[in-house]
Amino acid sequence: MSVAGLKKQFYKASQLVSEKVGGAEGTKLDEDFKEMEKKVDVTSKAVTEVLARTIEYLQPNPASRAKLTMLNTVSKIRGQVKNPGYPQSEGLLGECMIRHGKELGGESNFGDALLDAGESMKRLAEVKDSLDIEVKQNFIDPLQNLCDKDLKEIQHHLKKLEGRRLDFDYKKKRQGRIPDEELRQALEKFEESKEVAETSMHNLLETDIEQVSQLSALVDAQLDYHRQAVQILDELADKLKRRMRDASSRPKREYKPKPREPFDLGEPEQSNGGFPCATAPKITPSSSFRSSDKPIRTPSRSMPPLDQPSCKALYDFEPENAGELGFHEGDVITLTNQIDENWYEGMLHGQSGFFPLSYVEVLVPLPQ
């Protein structure tokens, strides 16, 4: 920096200190200029925040937002781009639905519906790609250019104006000790900077119709997106309603449980060297263990499968109280009711009565 430049920096610094610390008054700018400067400042803040919020609106994901900001560079290199280079959430949802719909298969109503919904979600993702690109090129990029060029240029002119004002005020305060020519030049430079700054601010504020046009482009892109989205979702809703009507008109298949296979233990093998086993004594249950203790189970005879609620006696049961139903091992009893968790009611040979659950094996359970 030259000596003159150093002197000028010293003048400006000295004047700034005298104003901030000493309370000295500098040259006042007219009210019109101040009002214009205020409007430009508000415009700058509005454009900066609207830009940030628009990108966040298009892509809440920070990683996708970073890729969205690169679209301008990509479009310049490759020309018009067809997709932004990051997955849309609608597309990810669609792929998930299609994958699981294929796994469920064509026999599943839910699987077919997932395939329909998945294809629609992928179409929505393509429409969303178009929205992002359209808004980026016709709204975000022009506003970003306004920030990077016009507003930045105005800030440069205002900063230069402030510097020349400080230089002029310093020299004006020392009039008589500073040559008149130098003071005159400082005044001319100050007025020149003021005029340049004023012109640039005026041009920006007078051409704000351009920002209105850009905002209109944003709204048009959103309208186009929502129209296409509504059309896609209407078609999907019609498909799903048709599937529901078709499914409700088809006869329902009733579930019939398969009969249980009979379980035959067969003849017990002799394991005492060929000597026959002693016949086990017949167990007569007493009221002290009917509802809880289970006697030793003896082999049961094979019975054909039944199609009504029934059970097979595992042991002999001799009734001791009125209302109890007696039976012998192997008898098949028709079940009519379950009294509690330990007792059933059933019929055998035309007689009805109660008997303990622990003495029987359920073949066909009572309906719930």
Side-chain angles (χ1 to χ4, degrees), residues 287-298:
S287 60
S288 62
F289 71 88
R290 288 185 180 186
S291 62
S292 58
D293 299 333
K294 292 186 179 180
I296 300 174
R297 180 173 177 175
T298 58

Side-chain angles (χ1 to χ4, degrees), residues 50-173:
V50 167
L51 272 175
R53 296 300 180 187
T54 303
I55 295 174
E56 189 174 331
Y57 155 75
L58 291 177
Q59 277 303 326
N61 188 321
S64 298
R65 285 205 298 271
K67 292 183 179 179
L68 180 61
T69 58
M70 294 297 294
L71 274 181
N72 191 32
T73 304
V74 173
S75 62
K76 287 180 179 178
I77 296 175
R78 302 180 182 174
Q80 183 74 20
V81 291
K82 294 183 179 180
N83 61 76
Y86 50 80
Q88 301 286 359
S89 56
E90 294 88 346
L92 296 176
L93 175 59
E95 291 174 1
C96 170
M97 288 179 169
I98 291 174
R99 183 173 67 254
H100 291 293
K102 290 180 179 178
E103 290 176 356
L104 287 170
E107 296 181 357
S108 168
N109 290 322
F110 183 42
D112 289 339
L114 280 177
L115 289 173
D116 290 339
E119 290 297 336
S120 296
M121 289 298 138
K122 291 183 71 175
R123 289 174 61 193
L124 281 176
E126 294 176 358
V127 176
K128 186 64 165 54
D129 283 344
S130 299
L131 171 67
D132 286 3
I133 294 171
E134 191 76 16
V135 172
K136 179 67 170 61
Q137 293 177 345
N138 297 325
F139 182 70
I140 294 177
D141 285 351
L143 286 185
Q144 189 64 55
N145 184 64
L146 180 68
C147 284
D148 295 341
K149 186 179 178 182
D150 297 346
L151 289 172
K152 186 177 288 186
E153 183 177 316
I154 290 174
Q155 291 303 318
H156 169 73
H157 292 321
L158 290 173
K159 185 178 180 181
K160 190 172 183 179
L161 171 63
E162 178 64 9
R164 289 185 169 179
R165 183 195 67 79
L166 290 172
D167 180 61
F168 168 68
D169 285 343
Y170 177 84
K171 294 175 178 177
K172 184 175 66 172
K173 191 167 57 175

Side-chain angles (χ1 to χ4, degrees), residues 236-278:
L236 174 61
D238 290 341
K239 286 183 181 179
L240 295 180
K241 288 176 182 176
R242 283 199 300 270
R243 289 195 180 281
M244 288 189 289
R245 287 195 299 267
D246 293 343
S248 61
S249 63
R250 289 195 295 265
K252 294 183 178 180
R253 296 178 296 177
E254 296 185 2
Y255 171 72
K256 293 183 178 180
K258 295 181 180 179
R260 297 188 180 184
E261 295 292 334
F263 183 66
D264 188 3
L265 295 176
E267 295 296 329
E269 295 182 0
Q270 295 180 349
S271 58
N272 57 354
F275 295 96
C277 296

